[in-house]
Amino acid sequence: MDAQVSAGQVPKIAARNVSRIYQTVDGDMVAVDDFSLDVTDGEFVCVVGPSGCGKSTFLRMIAGLDTISAGSIQIAPGGVPGKPLNSVVFQEYAIFPWKTVIDNVAFGLEMRGIARKERLETARYWLDRVGLGKFAGYYPHQISGGMKQRVSIVRALANDPEVLLMDEPLGALDAQTRVVLQEELLRIWEETRKTVVYITHSLDEAVLLGDRVILMTAQPGRHLATFDIDLPRPRSIETANTPRFVEHRALIWEKLSQEVKRAMEQNQ
Amino acid sequence: MRATPETIVPFRAKGFAPRSNPVMGAASIAALVGLWQLGSSLGWISPVFLPAPHEVAGAIYRMAVSGELWRHLSVSLWRIVLGWTLGTVVGVAAGFAMGLFTLARSPMQAFVGILFPVPKIALVPLFIIWFGIDEGSKIATIAIGVFFPTVISTAAGVEAVQKNLIRLGQSFNLSRWSIITKIILPGALPSILAGFRITLSVSILLLVAAEMIGAQEGLGAYIIRAGDLFQTDSLIGGVVILAALGLLFVGLLGLAERRLLRWR
Ligand SMILES: Nc1ncnc2c1ncn2[C@@H]1O[C@H](COP(=O)(O)OP(=O)(O)OP(=O)(O)O)[C@@H](O)[C@H]1O
Ligand SMILES: [Mg+2]
């Protein structure tokens, strides 16, 4: 099945031959086709692919928020009782307009019945880490789009799940804030070693953050290639200047650009 | 290059932003009453045609000192509070059902579509047969009149809640009930409160209609009796009290909105 899983180890996430077919006005539309992915515990996996190839659809299926047309997805539960299985950062960040920034971040904890004082402390800690401490009492309509996206990232982190599912979490940020947050994500991951599935359009981001980069084909989304990123950890933004990084990037780019070209010719 | 006045970019995003000014609102009412008083004092408006403001004020004063005012007002307020609350509670529940459940949706849309346009005033005699000539028919008239707009505004609010917020709740493993109370209710609240603005006026309207038949007490009954006796000053006095009641309701609702919708 999947060669990446070392023998005997139970993967944290096991997606097997997953397909998603949407019924549209033009008939059936295959968004994800026979896609398999195993993610080991504590692994950071990045998924890259042309726009519309089914990345978000796949992530929603892992999160249990979209129906699976064929195949199966399993997440192995951890030993810690009461710990949520997964948290999602949506591509179209969703935040409650009637809750303040800090209450939005504390939402997952509130729903798990954690006392107000404790959950606000946790939320405050995470807000400070992404530079939003000053905006704790603001309502969402009073902050910028990039800030809202940061709020939705730390809401997932504050929830402390077994698995983090992130769909282009830094998509709406400017280049500078993006770099700062990439470094912050690297630090957070070093500290927590969470299992992460991370969708991005940026190859730099994928190579910088991921243990593995999965390429998907253009629609219908199939598995195109897997790249192991053996860059040493802990990484930082400096890692992006090393020859190994540039090599990895070039290799992935070659494969991806071929795919984009192929898809364009096919659609002519 | 030197900036000449011609090269300065003119500000174009002007207008289309009306602001509220309560002082202007009060002043325009005062001006109208002032004109009315002036017209009466100068003899341009005949007292038979329209009694002067000071005569209306006198009628209200006499009503107040005789204890009549409180007697009618308390009975009417009681009917409105009961009828409005009943119609609102049932209406909000039905609106949620309509916005949430496939099974409730189409049948309720059909019922509301048929029954909402029916003038409830025309049905008062029927309500008297169904619910009795006493309090029952009056409270039912108000409750039923309040019910329909509440269903519509609540269902519209429920439907307008962003789907991605619901998905978000589900991603946090919220139960169905928690999603309804923690996400759909606050999301639908602006629309529900906008509905209250309508139903509070509707309840005053229907109060008077219900009190026109078979009521001894209540502001509606008082106004009808004054009309029958051509006591136009008392008639307009009653109307002024109803208007004040409406103003009070709008004020209370405004307070509630400021508290509950602070986030907007
Ligand atoms: N609810 C839906 N009904 C029908 N088709 C859908 C639906 N959701 C997604 N699709 C289709 O599935 C395909 C994959 O969509 P998806 O959002 O997963 O792409 P993506 O890889 O996340 O793209 P992007 O990188 O632009 O975010 C698209 O062609 C889209 O049109
Ligand atoms: Mg997407």
Side-chain angles (χ1 to χ4, degrees):
Chain A
M1 178 122 320
D2 205 321
Q4 275 97 37
V5 185
S6 43
Q9 200 177 1
V10 179
K12 187 75 193 164
I13 304 171
R16 300 289 157 79
N17 309 95
V18 172
S19 298
R20 177 66 169 104
I21 299 161
Y22 286 113
Q23 267 79 46
T24 67
V25 278
D26 305 327
D28 286 359
M29 206 280 287
V30 182
V32 177
D33 189 19
D34 197 28
F35 189 82
S36 293
L37 173 69
D38 278 6
V39 184
T40 53
D41 199 3
E43 193 183 14
F44 198 124
V45 170
C46 293
V47 180
V48 180
S51 178
C53 76
K55 302 181 294 294
S56 297
T57 304
F58 179 61
L59 198 86
R60 277 200 303 275
M61 288 192 288
I62 303 181
L65 297 173
D66 208 333
T67 47
I68 303 169
S69 305
S72 70
I73 299 177
Q74 286 183 349
I75 301 183
V80 191
K83 197 170 163 123
L85 210 51
N86 64 63
S87 288
V88 191
V89 179
F90 291 92
Q91 184 173 11
E92 303 88 7
Y93 48 81
I95 66 180
F96 300 116
W98 53 85
K99 282 182 179 290
T100 58
V101 163
I102 194 162
D103 282 333
N104 262 288
V105 175
F107 181 73
L109 305 173
E110 182 190 349
M111 291 302 121
R112 267 157 54 205
I114 287 163
R116 185 168 173 81
K117 187 164 175 292
E118 190 186 336
R119 65 173 191 256
L120 289 188
E121 264 167 28
T122 310
R124 163 78 57 182
Y125 165 81
W126 285 106
L127 281 175
D128 284 337
R129 283 200 76 155
V130 292
L132 289 178
K134 255 178 41 191
F135 299 93
Y138 283 47
Y139 282 103
H141 77 93
Q142 297 166 315
I143 62 174
S144 75
M147 288 164 142
K148 285 180 203 164
Q149 199 153 24
R150 276 181 271 168
V151 170
S152 70
I153 295 171
V154 287
R155 178 179 50 206
L157 287 167
N159 200 34
D160 191 25
E162 305 255 344
V163 172
L164 260 177
L165 305 170
M166 303 210 251
D167 195 350
E168 300 191 31
L170 308 184
L173 298 177
D174 62 277
Q176 296 79 29
T177 313
R178 204 178 165 120
V179 168
V180 171
L181 283 176
Q182 282 169 354
E183 287 216 288
E184 195 58 47
L185 282 179
L186 278 174
R187 268 196 292 275
I188 292 166
W189 187 81
E190 285 300 338
E191 292 161 20
T192 60
R193 294 277 169 163
K194 274 193 193 315
T195 311
V196 184
V197 177
Y198 190 102
I199 293 173
T200 174
H201 269 135
S202 154
L203 287 189
D204 286 290
E205 192 167 291
V207 176
L208 181 67
L209 298 177
D211 294 315
R212 258 193 304 156
V213 175
I214 314 287
L215 274 191
M216 282 177 84
T217 62
Q219 194 256 317
R222 297 198 188 93
H223 180 267
L224 177 63
T226 299
F227 299 88
D228 286 304
I229 311 297
D230 55 5
L231 297 169
R233 301 219 185 231
R235 299 176 192 167
S236 74
I237 206 69
E238 304 303 327
T239 311
N241 301 324
T242 62
R244 286 292 294 147
F245 181 97
V246 179
E247 244 169 74
H248 275 299
R249 215 196 91 97
L251 218 62
I252 301 173
W253 172 241
E254 195 189 320
K255 193 81 184 167
L256 181 63
S257 58
Q258 277 172 10
E259 171 60 16
V260 172
K261 241 178 259 159
R262 188 194 64 79
M264 281 172 73
E265 276 159 19
Q266 187 186 42
N267 289 344
Q268 266 169 12
Chain B
M1 207 181 86
R2 202 171 53 87
T4 61
E6 283 77 22
T7 63
I8 290 170
V9 176
F11 177 65
R12 293 184 291 180
K14 280 184 285 238
F16 303 104
R19 275 165 302 169
S20 298
N21 186 341
V23 178
M24 257 164 77
S28 44
I29 290 176
L32 189 72
V33 174
L35 273 178
W36 173 13
Q37 180 66 58
L38 192 73
S40 300
S41 303
L42 295 178
W44 294 343
I45 304 172
S46 129
V48 182
F49 187 72
L50 185 68
H54 72 267
E55 285 165 26
V56 173
I60 294 174
Y61 177 76
R62 283 194 303 279
M63 201 179 159
V65 290
S66 70
E68 244 186 328
L69 173 64
W70 178 241
R71 191 161 58 88
H72 293 300
L73 187 63
S74 59
V75 168
S76 288
L77 260 179
W78 180 236
R79 285 169 184 159
I80 285 190
V81 168
L82 268 182
W84 184 84
T85 307
L86 191 66
T88 297
V89 168
V90 180
V92 167
F96 264 87
M98 191 162 139
L100 290 175
F101 305 115
T102 312
L103 222 65
R105 191 178 181 76
S106 293
M108 294 219 3
Q109 265 171 350
F111 281 126
V112 171
I114 292 173
L115 296 176
F116 183 38
V118 174
K120 310 301 170 292
I121 295 172
L123 298 180
V124 171
L126 205 58
F127 292 156
I128 291 175
I129 299 173
W130 291 354
F131 305 106
I133 186 104
D134 299 325
E135 295 308 299
S137 63
K138 284 152 191 99
I139 290 162
T141 306
I142 295 169
I144 290 167
V146 164
F147 172 80
F148 288 99
T150 307
V151 173
I152 291 170
S153 65
T154 305
V158 169
E159 279 157 32
V161 176
Q162 286 174 43
K163 287 291 168 290
N164 61 355
L165 295 182
I166 296 171
R167 292 285 167 273
L168 181 71
Q170 289 168 329
S171 86
F172 280 107
N173 267 336
L174 263 63
S175 65
R176 234 187 134 75
W177 177 248
S178 295
I179 288 179
I180 292 173
T181 55
K182 303 278 176 186
I183 298 177
I184 295 177
L185 180 62
L189 204 57
S191 176
I192 295 175
L193 290 181
F196 286 4
R197 213 165 266 284
I198 295 167
T199 57
L200 284 171
S201 312
V202 164
S203 64
I204 295 179
L205 222 77
L206 289 176
L207 169 83
V208 176
E211 287 177 345
M212 279 180 164
I213 306 176
Q216 301 307 313
E217 290 178 316
L219 289 170
Y222 175 83
I223 291 170
I224 299 302
R225 200 158 339 112
D228 288 346
L229 300 172
F230 286 98
Q231 291 171 350
T232 48
D233 52 350
S234 296
L235 188 152
I236 292 176
V239 169
V240 166
I241 288 162
L242 282 179
L245 204 60
L247 210 60
L248 174 76
F249 288 164
V250 169
L252 288 176
L253 188 63
L255 276 178
E257 277 182 340
R258 264 201 297 285
R259 263 196 72 79
L260 295 169
L261 304 181
R262 227 175 339 183
W263 48 274
R264 290 215 295 183

